Amino acid sequence: MIAIRNLRKRFGSLEVLKGIDARMTTGRVTAIVGPNAAGKTTLIKTILGLARADSGSIDVDGVRVNGDETYRRKIGYMSQIARFPSNLTGAELLAMLCELRPDAQDVDEDLIRAFGLGLELTKKLNNLSGGTKQKINAVAAFLFKPELLILDEPTAGLDPRSAGVLKDKIRSERCAGRTFIITSHVMSELEELADDVIFIDDGKVRFSGSIDQIKSLTRQVNLERAVAELMERGAAA
Amino acid sequence: MIENAAQWRAGGIWEVAKPQVRNVVRSKWLLSYVAFFLLATEGLLRFTGGGEKTLLSLASIVLFVVPLITVVYGTIYLYNSREFIELLLAQPLKRRRVFAGLYAGLSIPLVIAFVAGVVTPFLLRGMIFEDPRALATVIAGGSALTLTFTGIAFCLALRFEDRLTGLGAGMAIWLVLALAYDGAVLFIVALMSDHSIEKWLLAVSLLNPIDLVRIALLLQFDISALLGYTGVVFNRFFSGAMGLAVITAALTTWIAGPLALGYVGFKRKDF
């Protein structure tokens, strides 16, 4: 479980996170949604330790995130933008990640097969399309069978078939008991995948609960309309 | 030695550096960099026939080109590596190791490229031992400048979010240290000609890494006419081994300083 308490982060004069309180439950898929620039990516990066909070706390399975790197052993991260060293091949990149985790027992290469990446992995990364790089990014996130997967806009740039492959993978790993934190602008996709929703607007959590709860609260039939309704209310308030 | 190597590996620095070394070595930029020094050295050897003259001309090219290319390539490289750095930081690695790996991964290929480009023509002509001390000074000086300006590139790329600002600052620093510095010193000397400011000037000459390497080179050649103003003053106070020791100490500080500053920036940075 991830417990976030009163998390604040400011970039210069811009206050991005204004006291976030949230919980992500183990074994469930939590979607983080909200308008552009609401602070979703900053929140994710703070959980990963890429950015440091000004105040507040994050606990991952009871361990405080405080600059020690060991908790990241159980995290797989898929960033929004996949840009890698341009003169390396995908295979070299994955080999590097393996060398960086000598303690990892075995690796999960299912996605390489499912995406049909075999040949692409031998090509230089700068000769690959954005979508193919994003697939390699996904492979890297799942590679070490992490307990917690943090996916920032995972299907952005993927064709429908590949997006389907990735969603199937998320579903099957969810069934295997893994925890997910996903952001996306595609609400229908989150409705398919997620159990819980955290709605962030203007650096604060405006809603936190299950998909059914957000729908009944807003009296809307689907997640997209429910989130839109919450944004309307936020703008009106 | 082997134990040290094992420790280094265990530290995870080489694992971070290795793919980058591979990446940089394969880039066309680096190939052109090697080719440039190959051609420049070969051309100078061909037209000046070796000896002091060749090394002096080579040295002035090195003093000019190495800092410029290193700071420009370094900043661009780091801005382009932003997402890769995020990927590394999302792994169970200490920031210290990621930083050391990044620095090694960038500076090692740059040093190798420079040394290979300069040394190969000498080797091919069997002239490597003709003036070994002077050639060694050119190589050591150029390598030290590579390390210094890689560090400066790190500081700038970490300090400025905007890549044009970072690149511009790098060029400005190069412009000041490579071109404007000696002129400015001379100007001040002319203004203050009534005062005795030689000791001040000595300190001033230690503040510019390019000047330091230039002085180190010219102390080897004994041509004070080319020393520049700061060089002349320096030469008066330090000569021989003492001079070289002072220069080495100052240059080491110039490598360690930006590196430490970059490290502090890297530790604090929000990616």
Side-chain angles (χ1 to χ4, degrees):
Chain A
M1 190 185 73
I2 299 169
I4 298 167
R5 276 182 219 95
N6 199 18
L7 199 70
R8 288 172 186 277
K9 179 67 190 175
R10 167 189 285 282
F11 291 108
S13 60
L14 189 71
E15 202 176 6
V16 182
L17 304 180
K18 300 175 179 171
I20 297 268
D21 287 285
R23 274 163 187 274
M24 289 97 170
T25 316
T26 304
R28 288 171 77 88
V29 178
T30 304
I32 300 179
V33 299
N36 302 326
K40 302 186 292 278
T41 297
T42 304
L43 178 60
I44 281 179
K45 287 185 168 179
T46 316
I47 297 173
L48 281 162
L50 293 180
R52 312 287 170 87
D54 298 328
S55 65
S57 68
I58 300 173
D59 294 88
V60 178
D61 292 338
V63 179
R64 185 63 48 98
V65 174
N66 59 2
D68 183 61
E69 77 289 352
T70 40
Y71 78 101
R72 283 198 291 266
R73 277 194 193 144
K74 51 181 154 193
I75 300 182
Y77 170 52
M78 184 175 170
S79 60
Q80 205 174 110
I81 307 161
R83 263 182 66 190
F84 306 117
S86 48
N87 300 308
L88 294 184
T89 67
E92 285 169 334
L93 184 83
L94 297 178
M96 176 204 79
L97 291 174
C98 291
E99 279 187 34
L100 291 176
R101 299 199 189 207
D103 51 321
Q105 294 302 318
D106 56 342
V107 291
D108 178 356
E109 295 177 336
D110 292 350
L111 274 179
I112 298 179
R113 251 165 280 131
F115 283 136
L117 275 175
L119 199 64
E120 305 292 314
L121 286 180
T122 62
K123 294 180 188 162
K124 279 190 183 176
L125 286 159
N126 67 338
N127 295 334
L128 299 179
S129 72
T132 309
K133 278 188 260 193
Q134 194 62 357
K135 289 179 204 167
I136 294 174
N137 204 6
V139 171
F142 284 91
L143 198 60
F144 301 100
K145 305 186 173 177
E147 291 164 35
L148 167 65
L149 283 122
I150 300 179
L151 314 176
D152 197 356
E153 300 278 348
T155 59
L158 293 184
D159 61 64
R161 195 193 81 85
S162 306
V165 166
L166 183 57
K167 282 191 271 186
D168 289 343
K169 180 69 177 166
I170 293 170
R171 254 186 237 110
S172 74
E173 294 301 321
R174 149 92 174 77
C175 289
R178 304 199 197 290
T179 313
F180 285 85
I181 299 174
I182 303 179
T183 75
S184 176
H185 282 103
V186 189
M187 292 302 135
S188 57
E189 174 179 300
L190 291 177
E191 193 158 11
E192 269 180 73
L193 295 170
D195 304 295
D196 300 324
V197 186
I198 293 174
F199 174 73
I200 299 178
D201 192 5
D202 195 25
K204 279 184 182 161
V205 173
R206 307 289 175 180
F207 173 85
S208 174
S210 71
I211 297 243
D212 288 337
Q213 283 171 334
I214 194 175
K215 281 197 251 179
S216 62
L217 177 80
T218 54
R219 300 202 187 121
Q220 296 290 343
V221 288
N222 62 32
L223 182 63
E224 179 157 31
R225 289 188 178 278
V227 171
E229 169 77 23
L230 282 185
M231 285 169 70
E232 287 288 333
R233 288 187 197 173
Chain B
M1 187 67 207
I2 291 165
E3 237 170 73
N4 267 342
Q7 236 169 28
W8 208 45
R9 282 183 56 85
I13 294 170
W14 180 238
E15 279 81 0
V16 179
K18 188 173 66 179
Q20 288 178 92
V21 170
R22 208 178 265 168
N23 181 46
V24 175
V25 163
R26 285 178 193 163
S27 80
K28 293 191 182 80
W29 260 81
L30 199 82
L31 276 178
S32 338
Y33 190 53
V34 179
F36 170 80
F37 280 115
L38 275 175
L39 288 174
T41 313
E42 176 62 25
L44 283 171
L45 280 172
R46 192 156 291 192
F47 292 118
T48 59
E52 218 164 66
K53 240 187 193 165
T54 310
L55 281 165
L56 264 176
S57 317
L58 183 62
S60 29
I61 294 174
V62 168
L63 289 174
F64 204 72
V65 172
V66 166
L68 177 65
I69 299 299
T70 305
V71 81
V72 168
Y73 182 72
T75 34
I76 292 175
Y77 178 83
L78 282 166
Y79 282 121
N80 286 343
S81 302
R82 177 73 185 244
E83 288 82 11
F84 181 58
I85 295 172
E86 287 179 21
L87 177 70
L88 288 172
L89 289 175
Q91 308 303 315
L93 296 171
K94 287 197 191 309
R95 283 208 175 193
R96 169 158 41 93
R97 289 176 182 167
V98 174
F99 179 79
L102 283 170
Y103 183 78
L106 180 57
S107 57
I108 290 172
L110 284 172
V111 168
I112 291 175
F114 158 70
V115 174
V118 167
V119 168
T120 311
F122 281 94
L123 269 177
L124 289 178
R125 288 161 177 262
M127 293 169 79
I128 194 103
F129 295 116
E130 219 154 74
D131 199 347
R133 264 187 60 188
L135 183 59
T137 314
V138 172
I139 290 166
S143 305
L145 286 178
T146 306
L147 296 179
T148 300
F149 281 84
T150 308
I152 292 175
F154 266 79
C155 291
L156 297 174
L158 292 166
R159 172 73 183 75
F160 299 109
E161 281 294 315
D162 180 58
R163 58 173 65 206
L164 273 180
T165 315
L167 199 59
M171 305 272 270
I173 288 175
W174 173 78
L175 210 64
V176 166
L177 294 180
L179 298 173
Y181 199 85
D182 225 44
V185 170
L186 210 59
F187 183 70
I188 293 167
V189 168
L191 277 183
M192 312 270 288
S193 54
D194 299 342
H195 306 77
S196 164
I197 52 168
E198 290 209 329
K199 287 217 168 110
W200 280 96
L201 278 176
L202 200 63
V204 161
S205 72
L206 292 176
L207 289 178
N208 182 346
I210 300 178
D211 259 11
L212 280 168
V213 175
R214 179 184 295 134
I215 295 165
L217 284 162
L218 296 169
L219 287 179
Q220 304 292 320
F221 294 115
D222 239 11
I223 307 171
S224 43
L226 291 171
L227 275 175
Y229 196 84
T230 47
V232 172
V233 175
F234 190 93
N235 207 8
R236 200 177 296 170
F237 279 85
F238 302 110
S239 50
M242 176 65 178
L244 216 54
V246 170
I247 289 170
T248 309
L251 270 177
T252 309
T253 314
W254 258 108
I255 294 169
L259 193 58
L261 213 65
Y263 175 58
V264 170
F266 190 76
K267 274 210 95 145
R268 286 191 194 150
K269 182 156 177 85
D270 293 313
F271 284 91

